[in-house]
Amino acid sequence: MTDIYIGIDPGSKNCALVAWSPTGGLVAAWKPKGTMPKGVLRLRRLMTEIGAELEKLDTRGNWIKGIAMEGYSMAERYGQHASGEVGAAIKLTILAHFASDDRRAFPVLVAPQQLKKFTAGNGNTKKEMLPKEILKRWGVDFDDMNIAEAYALARIAHAVEARPEGLTQFQRDVAVALDGRTEFDPTATRRLVRVGR
């Protein structure tokens, strides 16, 4: 079994998923191909394709240890509703893949500034600089901004879960701040069982 970590950049127009392994490097990179439909058809397509990616990753002898997903940008002027819908659809897809009492079913939610700080050392770094920072820090070159962000999110998932050696101080700070920043509630399953009685 190979331990893998998944990063998801949940853009409503440019969604991306990356699977990364501390022992094997980049395992998979996915982005929807072709023209994306609008509205609920977009959500269904994202749910179907991301679900299929998770299934493929699980059946290749990998063990998904953790998932990190970029949170919503509060500075976004337009499209907040669409971003919220996409984020919810992706969260529901992940939840459907795992048991509801499994921590992995609840991704670590990473604020855009935390993603930038972990990757570049500064939360105010311009988004366009992230691929260059990833190349400099980890030696991986991406020509797609969304795949690059998903890669950094997979590295964050690993840092939060494993606290590996070699993290910079600012990376450790981000990992500590994100520890437990999920929607996982170990008592929820017990509460749900009692509701129907």
Side-chain angles (χ1 to χ4, degrees), residues 16-98:
L17 178 148
V18 164
W20 175 82
S21 166
T23 58
L26 185 65
V27 175
W30 168 87
K31 232 185 131 160
K33 293 185 179 13
T35 304
M36 283 297 282
K38 296 182 188 289
V40 73
L41 295 176
R42 173 191 316 244
L43 300 177
R44 181 177 70 180
R45 180 171 169 195
L46 287 173
M47 291 175 78
T48 301
E49 291 185 17
I50 290 172
E53 286 300 311
L54 292 173
E55 202 60 42
K56 276 194 279 186
L57 289 167
D58 257 355
T59 58
R60 291 183 183 159
N62 300 310
W63 177 256
I64 298 171
K65 295 278 286 186
I67 300 174
M69 183 170 122
E70 187 173 15
Y72 310 117
S73 173
M74 296 305 163
E76 187 176 354
R77 291 182 64 174
Y78 305 104
Q80 287 179 341
H81 298 315
S83 294
E85 288 178 343
V86 168
I90 292 170
K91 288 178 189 178
L92 288 169
T93 301
I94 296 167
L95 181 61
H97 185 76
F98 298 101

